[in-house]
Amino acid sequence: MGIKKEKQIIKSLLDGAGITINGSSARDPHIHNDDFYRRVLREGSLGLGESYMDGWWDCEKLDQFFHKLLAVDLDKQVKTSWNIILRLAWNYILNPGRKSKAFEIGKRHYDIGNNLYRAMLDKRMTYTCGYWKSAENLDEAQEAKLDLVCRKIGLQRGQKILDIGSGWGSFIGYAAEKYGVNAVGITVSKEQKESADKFYGHLSAETRLQDYRDINEKFDHIVSLGMFEHVGCKNYRTFMKAVYNALKDDGLFLLHTIGGNRSVRETDPWIKKYIFPVGMIPFIKQIGESIEGLFVMEDWHNFGADYDKTLMAWYKNFEDSWSKIKSNYGERFHRIWRYYLLSCAGSFRARKNQLWQIVLSKKGVPGGYVPVR
């Protein structure tokens, strides 16, 4: 297939999404290397991302480009090849979320520098979707989210709670400070633990370097905010059993997770290679099967549109701070991170990804659970 034909195929696909190659709109890509067309046709989303990293194309508003691209279900217009099918099967057999790989995500994503995350995130360093219902900025949105979680589980002074995937300690610190609880967080990132110990060590908030499969005590309530995406579908049931065993009979479990519109067994290949080496977006059916016979589903809240706002706020912070941190990372990292944040924002804007908060009980809340918003 010649360059002319390859270019025509890509042009036709993008035209259907309202995107014009080398056009005048901020969402239009500008191609600097004609090998771009062959690379994308052969390698799909991986080729699209890597060619951007290599400077083969640019776009003034990447978030708008991806919003338009994803809104028209472009993936359904391209036939699945046998090598993709084999890759999916191989990924499932290897089980990237298995216990022996649990700390890989910490080393390859969360341990790349607290200075980066401190510059990009809110003042509490909360690396999950904010709640923008009444918020005017990122700090307010993240504090509103933390408080929403506390209210949803009915947190009471003196209770003992667990946060699975506690990050830099924002939730356990907030819960200990504002609600007077004894909070335990577990993470697979050494840098996250060190930071959490530094900022919240004076409170009744403890962070442990631990895998969820090694929890061996009981808690009044359990939350997990943005960690379930790293569990993997082969381990969803194992995860839920671990939570069930650690939760007191009258306690509540709140799961805060990105969700997809269909079942998958692998994440996007570019995201997997450069951002989250262990990751998978769950679907409603998969979560339902994982809790069957264990939990009662009390509440399911979707505020996925808020992740678009959160990601754009992170991107603005990242760009505003780049001159201060760039010496530690370099321009290629700059392009990777820009592509990551803005492509994800476009995906949530197109409603391809959701953000779910799910409240679960072991035996059902007597008299019924009253949803909190």
Tab-separated table of all heavy atoms in Angstrom, residues 194-252:
chain	number	residue	atom	x	y	z
A	194	GLU	N	6.392	7.444	51.976
A	194	GLU	CA	7.277	8.413	52.616
A	194	GLU	C	6.611	9.786	52.714
A	194	GLU	O	6.704	10.464	53.744
A	194	GLU	CB	8.587	8.515	51.836
A	194	GLU	CG	9.466	7.272	51.963
A	194	GLU	CD	10.710	7.345	51.095
A	194	GLU	OE1	10.911	8.413	50.456
A	194	GLU	OE2	11.458	6.362	51.034
A	195	SER	N	5.933	10.176	51.645
A	195	SER	CA	5.255	11.470	51.639
A	195	SER	C	4.088	11.490	52.620
A	195	SER	O	3.912	12.455	53.375
A	195	SER	CB	4.754	11.796	50.227
A	195	SER	OG	4.106	13.041	50.193
A	196	ALA	N	3.288	10.416	52.631
A	196	ALA	CA	2.142	10.337	53.544
A	196	ALA	C	2.606	10.364	54.997
A	196	ALA	O	1.997	11.037	55.843
A	196	ALA	CB	1.338	9.076	53.264
A	197	ASP	N	3.679	9.643	55.300
A	197	ASP	CA	4.209	9.639	56.670
A	197	ASP	C	4.661	11.030	57.088
A	197	ASP	O	4.464	11.457	58.229
A	197	ASP	CB	5.387	8.664	56.777
A	197	ASP	CG	4.955	7.206	56.703
A	197	ASP	OD1	3.751	6.938	56.867
A	197	ASP	OD2	5.818	6.343	56.478
A	198	LYS	N	5.256	11.760	56.152
A	198	LYS	CA	5.759	13.099	56.437
A	198	LYS	C	4.625	14.078	56.736
A	198	LYS	O	4.703	14.857	57.682
A	198	LYS	CB	6.586	13.593	55.248
A	198	LYS	CG	7.114	15.017	55.413
A	198	LYS	CD	7.912	15.446	54.188
A	198	LYS	CE	8.399	16.884	54.329
A	198	LYS	NZ	9.171	17.314	53.122
A	199	PHE	N	3.575	14.027	55.927
A	199	PHE	CA	2.498	15.019	56.046
A	199	PHE	C	1.424	14.655	57.057
A	199	PHE	O	0.763	15.538	57.617
A	199	PHE	CB	1.857	15.256	54.678
A	199	PHE	CG	2.727	16.032	53.736
A	199	PHE	CD1	3.348	15.412	52.669
A	199	PHE	CD2	2.943	17.391	53.939
A	199	PHE	CE1	4.164	16.129	51.801
A	199	PHE	CE2	3.760	18.119	53.084
A	199	PHE	CZ	4.375	17.485	52.009
A	200	TYR	N	1.239	13.352	57.317
A	200	TYR	CA	0.128	12.955	58.181
A	200	TYR	C	0.560	12.114	59.377
A	200	TYR	O	-0.270	11.579	60.091
A	200	TYR	CB	-0.917	12.188	57.361
A	200	TYR	CG	-1.431	12.990	56.188
A	200	TYR	CD1	-1.142	12.601	54.880
A	200	TYR	CD2	-2.182	14.150	56.381
A	200	TYR	CE1	-1.602	13.345	53.802
A	200	TYR	CE2	-2.642	14.901	55.312
A	200	TYR	CZ	-2.351	14.499	54.017
A	200	TYR	OH	-2.800	15.242	52.963
A	201	GLY	N	1.859	12.028	59.602
A	201	GLY	CA	2.360	11.234	60.704
A	201	GLY	C	1.941	11.743	62.076
A	201	GLY	O	1.911	10.978	63.046
A	202	HIS	N	1.569	13.023	62.165
A	202	HIS	CA	1.151	13.598	63.442
A	202	HIS	C	-0.312	13.300	63.745
A	202	HIS	O	-0.791	13.561	64.852
A	202	HIS	CB	1.367	15.110	63.434
A	202	HIS	CG	0.519	15.841	62.442
A	202	HIS	ND1	0.723	15.746	61.075
A	202	HIS	CD2	-0.543	16.676	62.612
A	202	HIS	CE1	-0.171	16.489	60.447
A	202	HIS	NE2	-0.955	17.056	61.348
A	203	LEU	N	-1.035	12.741	62.770
A	203	LEU	CA	-2.441	12.397	62.950
A	203	LEU	C	-2.573	10.894	63.188
A	203	LEU	O	-1.601	10.137	63.088
A	203	LEU	CB	-3.242	12.783	61.706
A	203	LEU	CG	-3.246	14.269	61.317
A	203	LEU	CD1	-3.872	14.453	59.940
A	203	LEU	CD2	-4.017	15.078	62.354
A	204	SER	N	-3.789	10.445	63.494
A	204	SER	CA	-4.024	9.002	63.629
A	204	SER	C	-4.232	8.412	62.244
A	204	SER	O	-5.280	7.854	61.905
A	204	SER	CB	-5.253	8.754	64.513
A	204	SER	OG	-6.390	9.428	63.997
A	205	ALA	N	-3.203	8.554	61.406
A	205	ALA	CA	-3.233	8.094	60.013
A	205	ALA	C	-1.928	7.371	59.703
A	205	ALA	O	-0.852	7.982	59.699
A	205	ALA	CB	-3.439	9.271	59.066
A	206	GLU	N	-2.021	6.092	59.440
A	206	GLU	CA	-0.842	5.243	59.202
A	206	GLU	C	-0.852	4.732	57.769
A	206	GLU	O	-1.880	4.285	57.264
A	206	GLU	CB	-0.862	4.053	60.161
A	206	GLU	CG	0.236	3.029	59.903
A	206	GLU	CD	0.024	1.715	60.641
A	206	GLU	OE1	-0.977	1.618	61.387
A	206	GLU	OE2	0.830	0.783	60.453
A	207	THR	N	0.294	4.802	57.107
A	207	THR	CA	0.423	4.270	55.752
A	207	THR	C	1.362	3.076	55.749
A	207	THR	O	2.455	3.144	56.322
A	207	THR	CB	0.953	5.339	54.772
A	207	THR	OG1	0.044	6.443	54.746
A	207	THR	CG2	1.064	4.766	53.369
A	208	ARG	N	0.928	2.001	55.113
A	208	ARG	CA	1.732	0.780	55.042
A	208	ARG	C	2.065	0.441	53.588
A	208	ARG	O	1.247	0.631	52.694
A	208	ARG	CB	0.958	-0.396	55.651
A	208	ARG	CG	0.535	-0.187	57.094
A	208	ARG	CD	-0.408	-1.276	57.547
A	208	ARG	NE	-0.900	-1.050	58.909
A	208	ARG	CZ	-1.872	-1.754	59.479
A	208	ARG	NH1	-2.468	-2.735	58.796
A	208	ARG	NH2	-2.268	-1.481	60.707
A	209	LEU	N	3.248	-0.075	53.368
A	209	LEU	CA	3.648	-0.584	52.057
A	209	LEU	C	3.188	-2.039	52.002
A	209	LEU	O	3.841	-2.930	52.547
A	209	LEU	CB	5.166	-0.469	51.902
A	209	LEU	CG	5.723	-0.544	50.472
A	209	LEU	CD1	5.211	0.616	49.621
A	209	LEU	CD2	7.247	-0.554	50.503
A	210	GLN	N	2.042	-2.268	51.353
A	210	GLN	CA	1.393	-3.579	51.471
A	210	GLN	C	0.471	-3.847	50.287
A	210	GLN	O	-0.172	-2.942	49.750
A	210	GLN	CB	0.585	-3.620	52.771
A	210	GLN	CG	-0.051	-4.958	53.110
A	210	GLN	CD	-0.820	-4.897	54.424
A	210	GLN	OE1	-1.426	-3.891	54.766
A	210	GLN	NE2	-0.796	-5.980	55.173
A	211	ASP	N	0.377	-5.092	49.880
A	211	ASP	CA	-0.570	-5.528	48.855
A	211	ASP	C	-1.903	-5.854	49.520
A	211	ASP	O	-1.944	-6.314	50.668
A	211	ASP	CB	-0.026	-6.768	48.140
A	211	ASP	CG	-0.961	-7.268	47.061
A	211	ASP	OD1	-1.145	-6.550	46.060
A	211	ASP	OD2	-1.527	-8.369	47.232
A	212	TYR	N	-2.992	-5.621	48.800
A	212	TYR	CA	-4.321	-5.842	49.390
A	212	TYR	C	-4.555	-7.293	49.795
A	212	TYR	O	-5.355	-7.582	50.688
A	212	TYR	CB	-5.420	-5.380	48.417
A	212	TYR	CG	-5.564	-6.211	47.158
A	212	TYR	CD1	-6.389	-7.329	47.121
A	212	TYR	CD2	-4.902	-5.858	45.979
A	212	TYR	CE1	-6.536	-8.085	45.968
A	212	TYR	CE2	-5.052	-6.597	44.825
A	212	TYR	CZ	-5.862	-7.709	44.812
A	212	TYR	OH	-6.010	-8.454	43.663
A	213	ARG	N	-3.841	-8.223	49.169
A	213	ARG	CA	-4.025	-9.640	49.500
A	213	ARG	C	-3.417	-10.018	50.842
A	213	ARG	O	-3.616	-11.137	51.339
A	213	ARG	CB	-3.449	-10.503	48.373
A	213	ARG	CG	-4.366	-10.603	47.164
A	213	ARG	CD	-3.644	-10.951	45.879
A	213	ARG	NE	-2.893	-9.821	45.353
A	213	ARG	CZ	-2.715	-9.573	44.048
A	213	ARG	NH1	-3.246	-10.382	43.140
A	213	ARG	NH2	-2.028	-8.521	43.647
A	214	ASP	N	-2.677	-9.085	51.455
A	214	ASP	CA	-2.030	-9.359	52.738
A	214	ASP	C	-2.731	-8.682	53.917
A	214	ASP	O	-2.202	-8.677	55.027
A	214	ASP	CB	-0.562	-8.909	52.686
A	214	ASP	CG	0.250	-9.723	51.693
A	214	ASP	OD1	-0.038	-10.930	51.556
A	214	ASP	OD2	1.156	-9.158	51.056
A	215	ILE	N	-3.913	-8.133	53.704
A	215	ILE	CA	-4.678	-7.525	54.802
A	215	ILE	C	-5.172	-8.627	55.736
A	215	ILE	O	-5.743	-9.618	55.287
A	215	ILE	CB	-5.887	-6.737	54.255
A	215	ILE	CG1	-5.423	-5.646	53.277
A	215	ILE	CG2	-6.695	-6.119	55.392
A	215	ILE	CD1	-6.543	-5.039	52.470
A	216	ASN	N	-4.965	-8.469	57.054
A	216	ASN	CA	-5.356	-9.537	57.983
A	216	ASN	C	-5.969	-8.998	59.279
A	216	ASN	O	-5.749	-9.550	60.353
A	216	ASN	CB	-4.141	-10.426	58.307
A	216	ASN	CG	-2.987	-9.639	58.916
A	216	ASN	OD1	-3.111	-8.440	59.167
A	216	ASN	ND2	-1.879	-10.315	59.146
A	217	GLU	N	-6.721	-7.892	59.168
A	217	GLU	CA	-7.405	-7.353	60.341
A	217	GLU	C	-8.759	-6.788	59.925
A	217	GLU	O	-9.059	-6.682	58.739
A	217	GLU	CB	-6.553	-6.281	61.022
A	217	GLU	CG	-6.194	-5.119	60.124
A	217	GLU	CD	-5.108	-4.248	60.739
A	217	GLU	OE1	-5.433	-3.508	61.691
A	217	GLU	OE2	-3.952	-4.306	60.250
A	218	LYS	N	-9.568	-6.400	60.901
A	218	LYS	CA	-10.928	-5.936	60.644
A	218	LYS	C	-11.029	-4.415	60.754
A	218	LYS	O	-10.370	-3.793	61.586
A	218	LYS	CB	-11.903	-6.576	61.640
A	218	LYS	CG	-12.094	-8.082	61.483
A	218	LYS	CD	-12.980	-8.402	60.282
A	218	LYS	CE	-13.300	-9.902	60.236
A	218	LYS	NZ	-14.189	-10.228	59.097
A	219	PHE	N	-11.923	-3.847	59.927
A	219	PHE	CA	-12.126	-2.396	59.911
A	219	PHE	C	-13.619	-2.080	59.925
A	219	PHE	O	-14.438	-2.838	59.381
A	219	PHE	CB	-11.485	-1.782	58.665
A	219	PHE	CG	-9.984	-1.922	58.625
A	219	PHE	CD1	-9.399	-3.063	58.082
A	219	PHE	CD2	-9.166	-0.933	59.148
A	219	PHE	CE1	-8.021	-3.204	58.047
A	219	PHE	CE2	-7.790	-1.069	59.127
A	219	PHE	CZ	-7.213	-2.209	58.575
A	220	ASP	N	-13.958	-0.929	60.511
A	220	ASP	CA	-15.352	-0.497	60.535
A	220	ASP	C	-15.854	-0.187	59.127
A	220	ASP	O	-17.001	-0.487	58.784
A	220	ASP	CB	-15.508	0.742	61.420
A	220	ASP	CG	-15.266	0.437	62.885
A	220	ASP	OD1	-16.053	-0.341	63.453
A	220	ASP	OD2	-14.290	0.966	63.449
A	221	HIS	N	-15.008	0.454	58.339
A	221	HIS	CA	-15.345	0.765	56.953
A	221	HIS	C	-14.087	0.657	56.104
A	221	HIS	O	-12.965	0.791	56.610
A	221	HIS	CB	-15.911	2.188	56.809
A	221	HIS	CG	-17.140	2.445	57.623
A	221	HIS	ND1	-18.351	1.840	57.358
A	221	HIS	CD2	-17.342	3.255	58.688
A	221	HIS	CE1	-19.253	2.258	58.222
A	221	HIS	NE2	-18.657	3.111	59.054
A	222	ILE	N	-14.278	0.433	54.794
A	222	ILE	CA	-13.159	0.341	53.858
A	222	ILE	C	-13.489	1.181	52.633
A	222	ILE	O	-14.637	1.197	52.169
A	222	ILE	CB	-12.885	-1.119	53.441
A	222	ILE	CG1	-12.518	-1.969	54.670
A	222	ILE	CG2	-11.765	-1.185	52.404
A	222	ILE	CD1	-12.350	-3.452	54.361
A	223	VAL	N	-12.498	1.874	52.114
A	223	VAL	CA	-12.658	2.586	50.849
A	223	VAL	C	-11.490	2.212	49.940
A	223	VAL	O	-10.427	1.778	50.405
A	223	VAL	CB	-12.700	4.118	51.035
A	223	VAL	CG1	-13.814	4.519	51.996
A	223	VAL	CG2	-11.359	4.669	51.501
A	224	SER	N	-11.701	2.384	48.660
A	224	SER	CA	-10.625	2.225	47.687
A	224	SER	C	-10.868	3.247	46.585
A	224	SER	O	-11.856	3.148	45.854
A	224	SER	CB	-10.601	0.806	47.112
A	224	SER	OG	-9.490	0.643	46.238
A	225	LEU	N	-9.986	4.224	46.481
A	225	LEU	CA	-10.195	5.364	45.592
A	225	LEU	C	-9.165	5.352	44.465
A	225	LEU	O	-8.027	5.750	44.645
A	225	LEU	CB	-10.095	6.671	46.380
A	225	LEU	CG	-10.881	6.758	47.695
A	225	LEU	CD1	-10.689	8.118	48.347
A	225	LEU	CD2	-12.349	6.473	47.466
A	226	GLY	N	-9.570	4.851	43.306
A	226	GLY	CA	-8.703	4.891	42.138
A	226	GLY	C	-7.639	3.822	42.091
A	226	GLY	O	-6.636	3.972	41.388
A	227	MET	N	-7.830	2.740	42.815
A	227	MET	CA	-6.872	1.639	42.809
A	227	MET	C	-7.384	0.424	42.039
A	227	MET	O	-6.604	-0.349	41.469
A	227	MET	CB	-6.532	1.239	44.254
A	227	MET	CG	-5.597	0.053	44.398
A	227	MET	SD	-6.509	-1.521	44.411
A	227	MET	CE	-5.183	-2.682	44.627
A	228	PHE	N	-8.702	0.251	41.970
A	228	PHE	CA	-9.302	-0.940	41.358
A	228	PHE	C	-8.920	-1.078	39.885
A	228	PHE	O	-8.904	-2.188	39.349
A	228	PHE	CB	-10.819	-0.871	41.506
A	228	PHE	CG	-11.532	-2.177	41.272
A	228	PHE	CD1	-11.325	-3.260	42.115
A	228	PHE	CD2	-12.424	-2.320	40.218
A	228	PHE	CE1	-11.987	-4.462	41.906
A	228	PHE	CE2	-13.095	-3.518	40.004
A	228	PHE	CZ	-12.871	-4.596	40.853
A	229	GLU	N	-8.569	0.027	39.249
A	229	GLU	CA	-8.160	-0.001	37.849
A	229	GLU	C	-6.861	-0.784	37.631
A	229	GLU	O	-6.535	-1.144	36.502
A	229	GLU	CB	-7.978	1.427	37.323
A	229	GLU	CG	-9.234	2.273	37.370
A	229	GLU	CD	-9.407	3.040	38.666
A	229	GLU	OE1	-8.918	2.565	39.715
A	229	GLU	OE2	-10.019	4.116	38.638
A	230	HIS	N	-6.132	-1.047	38.708
A	230	HIS	CA	-4.871	-1.784	38.598
A	230	HIS	C	-5.003	-3.258	39.005
A	230	HIS	O	-4.022	-3.993	38.981
A	230	HIS	CB	-3.804	-1.129	39.479
A	230	HIS	CG	-3.560	0.314	39.153
A	230	HIS	ND1	-3.315	0.761	37.883
A	230	HIS	CD2	-3.535	1.421	39.952
A	230	HIS	CE1	-3.147	2.070	37.903
A	230	HIS	NE2	-3.285	2.489	39.147
A	231	VAL	N	-6.199	-3.678	39.366
A	231	VAL	CA	-6.391	-5.037	39.899
A	231	VAL	C	-6.377	-6.086	38.796
A	231	VAL	O	-5.783	-7.157	38.941
A	231	VAL	CB	-7.705	-5.103	40.709
A	231	VAL	CG1	-8.053	-6.538	41.063
A	231	VAL	CG2	-7.576	-4.261	41.972
A	232	GLY	N	-7.041	-5.823	37.678
A	232	GLY	CA	-7.135	-6.789	36.582
A	232	GLY	C	-8.314	-7.726	36.753
A	232	GLY	O	-8.615	-8.172	37.865
A	233	CYS	N	-8.991	-8.041	35.654
A	233	CYS	CA	-10.252	-8.784	35.730
A	233	CYS	C	-10.108	-10.175	36.344
A	233	CYS	O	-11.041	-10.670	36.974
A	233	CYS	CB	-10.896	-8.876	34.346
A	233	CYS	SG	-9.949	-9.780	33.112
A	234	LYS	N	-8.942	-10.812	36.200
A	234	LYS	CA	-8.751	-12.131	36.795
A	234	LYS	C	-8.708	-12.069	38.319
A	234	LYS	O	-8.875	-13.092	38.988
A	234	LYS	CB	-7.459	-12.781	36.285
A	234	LYS	CG	-7.572	-13.358	34.881
A	234	LYS	CD	-6.448	-14.333	34.587
A	234	LYS	CE	-6.629	-15.625	35.360
A	234	LYS	NZ	-5.614	-16.646	34.994
A	235	ASN	N	-8.509	-10.851	38.844
A	235	ASN	CA	-8.343	-10.703	40.290
A	235	ASN	C	-9.484	-9.940	40.962
A	235	ASN	O	-9.419	-9.688	42.169
A	235	ASN	CB	-7.016	-9.980	40.574
A	235	ASN	CG	-5.850	-10.663	39.893
A	235	ASN	OD1	-5.565	-11.820	40.141
A	235	ASN	ND2	-5.197	-9.949	38.996
A	236	TYR	N	-10.511	-9.569	40.205
A	236	TYR	CA	-11.607	-8.801	40.804
A	236	TYR	C	-12.246	-9.563	41.971
A	236	TYR	O	-12.519	-8.991	43.028
A	236	TYR	CB	-12.684	-8.488	39.762
A	236	TYR	CG	-12.278	-7.494	38.693
A	236	TYR	CD1	-12.986	-7.413	37.491
A	236	TYR	CD2	-11.199	-6.626	38.872
A	236	TYR	CE1	-12.635	-6.504	36.510
A	236	TYR	CE2	-10.837	-5.722	37.883
A	236	TYR	CZ	-11.558	-5.673	36.706
A	236	TYR	OH	-11.212	-4.773	35.731
A	237	ARG	N	-12.504	-10.836	41.773
A	237	ARG	CA	-13.133	-11.637	42.825
A	237	ARG	C	-12.209	-11.751	44.044
A	237	ARG	O	-12.657	-11.664	45.195
A	237	ARG	CB	-13.479	-13.023	42.281
A	237	ARG	CG	-14.237	-13.929	43.259
A	237	ARG	CD	-15.653	-13.452	43.483
A	237	ARG	NE	-16.439	-14.423	44.276
A	237	ARG	CZ	-17.681	-14.229	44.638
A	237	ARG	NH1	-18.314	-13.104	44.294
A	237	ARG	NH2	-18.321	-15.141	45.346
A	238	THR	N	-10.920	-11.944	43.802
A	238	THR	CA	-9.945	-12.022	44.884
A	238	THR	C	-9.927	-10.729	45.686
A	238	THR	O	-9.881	-10.743	46.923
A	238	THR	CB	-8.539	-12.309	44.319
A	238	THR	OG1	-8.560	-13.558	43.613
A	238	THR	CG2	-7.501	-12.371	45.427
A	239	PHE	N	-9.967	-9.624	44.977
A	239	PHE	CA	-9.995	-8.310	45.630
A	239	PHE	C	-11.227	-8.180	46.515
A	239	PHE	O	-11.134	-7.775	47.686
A	239	PHE	CB	-9.981	-7.212	44.565
A	239	PHE	CG	-10.067	-5.814	45.111
A	239	PHE	CD1	-8.922	-5.117	45.451
A	239	PHE	CD2	-11.302	-5.189	45.270
A	239	PHE	CE1	-9.004	-3.817	45.958
A	239	PHE	CE2	-11.397	-3.903	45.778
A	239	PHE	CZ	-10.240	-3.215	46.122
A	240	MET	N	-12.394	-8.535	45.978
A	240	MET	CA	-13.634	-8.387	46.739
A	240	MET	C	-13.667	-9.315	47.954
A	240	MET	O	-14.184	-8.946	49.015
A	240	MET	CB	-14.838	-8.643	45.837
A	240	MET	CG	-15.049	-7.582	44.775
A	240	MET	SD	-15.317	-5.933	45.506
A	240	MET	CE	-15.475	-4.944	44.008
A	241	LYS	N	-13.097	-10.486	47.826
A	241	LYS	CA	-13.039	-11.401	48.974
A	241	LYS	C	-12.126	-10.834	50.067
A	241	LYS	O	-12.417	-10.970	51.260
A	241	LYS	CB	-12.538	-12.779	48.530
A	241	LYS	CG	-13.574	-13.606	47.779
A	241	LYS	CD	-13.025	-14.975	47.415
A	241	LYS	CE	-14.084	-15.833	46.732
A	241	LYS	NZ	-13.549	-17.165	46.338
A	242	ALA	N	-11.034	-10.201	49.652
A	242	ALA	CA	-10.119	-9.592	50.625
A	242	ALA	C	-10.826	-8.466	51.379
A	242	ALA	O	-10.668	-8.320	52.605
A	242	ALA	CB	-8.875	-9.061	49.913
A	243	VAL	N	-11.604	-7.665	50.653
A	243	VAL	CA	-12.366	-6.590	51.291
A	243	VAL	C	-13.417	-7.171	52.233
A	243	VAL	O	-13.575	-6.715	53.373
A	243	VAL	CB	-13.045	-5.697	50.231
A	243	VAL	CG1	-13.989	-4.696	50.892
A	243	VAL	CG2	-11.995	-4.961	49.406
A	244	TYR	N	-14.130	-8.187	51.782
A	244	TYR	CA	-15.178	-8.825	52.586
A	244	TYR	C	-14.623	-9.348	53.907
A	244	TYR	O	-15.211	-9.145	54.977
A	244	TYR	CB	-15.812	-9.974	51.789
A	244	TYR	CG	-16.930	-10.678	52.509
A	244	TYR	CD1	-18.248	-10.223	52.397
A	244	TYR	CD2	-16.680	-11.795	53.305
A	244	TYR	CE1	-19.282	-10.866	53.061
A	244	TYR	CE2	-17.703	-12.439	53.968
A	244	TYR	CZ	-19.004	-11.972	53.850
A	244	TYR	OH	-20.029	-12.615	54.520
A	245	ASN	N	-13.479	-10.000	53.836
A	245	ASN	CA	-12.873	-10.583	55.031
A	245	ASN	C	-12.374	-9.516	56.010
A	245	ASN	O	-12.305	-9.773	57.216
A	245	ASN	CB	-11.719	-11.504	54.634
A	245	ASN	CG	-12.201	-12.765	53.938
A	245	ASN	OD1	-13.328	-13.214	54.150
A	245	ASN	ND2	-11.359	-13.332	53.085
A	246	ALA	N	-12.018	-8.334	55.490
A	246	ALA	CA	-11.473	-7.279	56.353
A	246	ALA	C	-12.545	-6.324	56.876
A	246	ALA	O	-12.263	-5.513	57.754
A	246	ALA	CB	-10.421	-6.489	55.585
A	247	LEU	N	-13.763	-6.430	56.368
A	247	LEU	CA	-14.829	-5.496	56.729
A	247	LEU	C	-15.709	-6.089	57.826
A	247	LEU	O	-16.140	-7.240	57.745
A	247	LEU	CB	-15.686	-5.192	55.493
A	247	LEU	CG	-16.819	-4.177	55.658
A	247	LEU	CD1	-16.271	-2.781	55.961
A	247	LEU	CD2	-17.680	-4.150	54.382
A	248	LYS	N	-15.996	-5.299	58.846
A	248	LYS	CA	-16.924	-5.753	59.883
A	248	LYS	C	-18.321	-5.954	59.286
A	248	LYS	O	-18.665	-5.340	58.274
A	248	LYS	CB	-16.980	-4.735	61.025
A	248	LYS	CG	-15.685	-4.672	61.841
A	248	LYS	CD	-15.822	-3.705	63.008
A	248	LYS	CE	-14.550	-3.666	63.849
A	248	LYS	NZ	-14.664	-2.712	64.987
A	249	ASP	N	-19.118	-6.785	59.934
A	249	ASP	CA	-20.412	-7.167	59.366
A	249	ASP	C	-21.341	-5.989	59.115
A	249	ASP	O	-22.158	-6.014	58.187
A	249	ASP	CB	-21.106	-8.185	60.274
A	249	ASP	CG	-20.459	-9.563	60.193
A	249	ASP	OD1	-19.653	-9.781	59.257
A	249	ASP	OD2	-20.758	-10.410	61.055
A	250	ASP	N	-21.260	-4.945	59.939
A	250	ASP	CA	-22.153	-3.795	59.767
A	250	ASP	C	-21.459	-2.621	59.067
A	250	ASP	O	-21.986	-1.509	59.036
A	250	ASP	CB	-22.699	-3.330	61.114
A	250	ASP	CG	-21.591	-2.923	62.085
A	250	ASP	OD1	-20.398	-3.186	61.791
A	250	ASP	OD2	-21.908	-2.340	63.141
A	251	GLY	N	-20.297	-2.878	58.487
A	251	GLY	CA	-19.539	-1.815	57.830
A	251	GLY	C	-19.932	-1.617	56.379
A	251	GLY	O	-20.660	-2.415	55.788
A	252	LEU	N	-19.439	-0.529	55.795
A	252	LEU	CA	-19.673	-0.218	54.391
A	252	LEU	C	-18.345	-0.163	53.643
A	252	LEU	O	-17.320	0.236	54.192
A	252	LEU	CB	-20.396	1.115	54.240
A	252	LEU	CG	-21.842	1.190	54.736
A	252	LEU	CD1	-22.370	2.617	54.616
A	252	LEU	CD2	-22.733	0.227	53.959
